[in-house]
Amino acid sequence: MHQKSSTMDLPCPSCASFTLVDDKSIQCSHCGYTTRKLPLTTAYEYASFVFRYGHQFRHFYEQQLIETGSITNNSDLEMPHPLHVLISLPLISGISGGVSWFLVKGAISTLIANYNERHQTDFEIPDEDLKILNVNFREFINNFADADSRLRNAVFEAMFSAECSEQEKKKILQLQNQADESSPSQKKDLEAKAEKMLEEAMKKTFKKIAARPKPTPEELSQFWLKIID
């Protein structure tokens, strides 16, 4: 007997319907799409990551640059709304998987309609907002190649802060505090040690981020193909 698991409260990445069932594999009862749990969750987790750092933090810092000419507020931000995560995957499919804008827009339109029906909401996302997301995602996926260096560095700092282990952050902070409280003769040496420890932690953290699972371009190219069936 097919059962719908709590982890399958996700839309089908082929037809955008909330009709996935969890049996021996993940199957869509609407269009017949079949996948496994790991690639499905990997795709949506990556979409959340791209929205959070490619748009959410970027917009937060971008507004500061517009308003004051500098970035002074590095506060953490709320996690993305679930609908923002869901519509991010079609956009990423268009950028990295070569899915046509026609299918991307169709997937997003269907996702929003199905999400509203499922949750009794009335969300809308204007085309202009989708265009901004598309531009921001493309730049993020291309490692902020054309972005203001202040913006890029601020987003990378946010990523480091979120992804670095608490143990490593605690060690760095302890050494920095020790340097601040030390005598002038010890201060320089301790500051150098803290800086080296920070550099090593950053290398390790960004290596971990780079190894983060994400859908392949081939997988992304197969998404949303039944959106107009």
Side-chain angles (χ1 to χ4, degrees):
M1 179 179 178
H2 295 310
Q3 294 184 344
K4 191 158 188 176
S5 72
S6 59
T7 58
M8 290 302 98
D9 192 23
L10 293 169
C12 170
S14 183
C15 70
S17 299
F18 286 85
T19 49
L20 294 176
V21 290
D22 191 355
D23 193 22
K24 293 179 181 178
S25 60
I26 306 301
Q27 297 179 320
C28 177
S29 62
H30 178 70
C31 74
Y33 176 82
T34 302
T35 187
R36 293 175 291 110
K37 183 176 180 179
L38 182 58
L40 180 72
T41 54
T42 292
Y44 282 106
E45 285 170 2
Y46 180 64
S48 178
F49 180 80
V50 173
F51 181 88
R52 183 158 173 77
Y53 296 108
H55 175 73
Q56 193 177 14
F57 272 101
R58 177 201 174 108
H59 177 72
F60 178 61
Y61 296 134
E62 211 164 29
Q63 289 302 114
Q64 293 182 52
L65 286 175
I66 291 170
E67 292 169 6
T68 68
S70 62
I71 296 172
T72 57
N73 186 346
N74 292 306
S75 301
D76 198 7
L77 302 178
E78 293 181 1
M79 293 303 292
H81 188 280
L83 183 57
H84 284 147
V85 174
L86 301 184
I87 67 161
S88 293
L89 189 56
L91 290 167
I92 295 168
S93 302
I95 295 167
S96 297
V99 176
S100 72
W101 185 246
F102 175 75
L103 288 180
V104 169
K105 289 263 318 246
I108 290 172
S109 177
T110 304
L111 273 170
I112 294 171
N114 289 344
Y115 185 94
N116 282 335
E117 181 180 359
R118 184 180 185 83
H119 296 280
Q120 297 298 296
T121 51
D122 58 354
F123 290 117
E124 294 181 3
I125 300 180
D127 283 354
E128 189 58 36
D129 288 358
L130 293 180
K131 291 176 183 176
I132 292 171
L133 286 174
N134 193 55
V135 170
N136 288 351
F137 286 5
R138 186 178 298 276
E139 194 165 90
F140 178 76
I141 289 169
N142 290 326
N143 294 315
F144 286 121
D146 300 317
D148 185 313
S149 60
R150 295 170 297 175
L151 183 65
R152 180 180 63 246
N153 292 341
V155 173
F156 284 162
E157 284 179 19
M159 290 170 63
F160 171 72
S161 179
E163 301 291 335
C164 183
S165 74
E166 290 301 319
Q167 183 178 7
E168 284 183 306
K169 285 192 284 189
K170 186 176 180 180
K171 286 181 180 178
I172 294 167
L173 182 60
Q174 286 176 338
L175 196 52
Q176 289 173 336
N177 288 339
Q178 189 178 348
D180 290 339
E181 296 169 1
S182 66
S183 64
S185 60
Q186 295 177 311
K187 187 178 182 68
K188 189 174 181 179
D189 183 52
L190 289 172
E191 285 178 338
K193 287 181 179 179
E195 185 66 27
K196 185 175 181 180
M197 185 181 293
L198 177 60
E199 288 178 4
E200 291 300 316
M202 290 183 72
K203 288 179 183 177
K204 186 186 298 185
T205 300
F206 281 104
K207 186 176 180 180
K208 180 178 71 173
I209 291 171
R212 190 186 199 94
K214 61 182 179 181
T216 66
E218 292 74 24
E219 288 171 330
L220 291 167
S221 70
Q222 298 302 309
F223 289 172
W224 321 113
L225 298 183
K226 297 183 180 179
I227 198 69
I228 57 174
D229 284 359

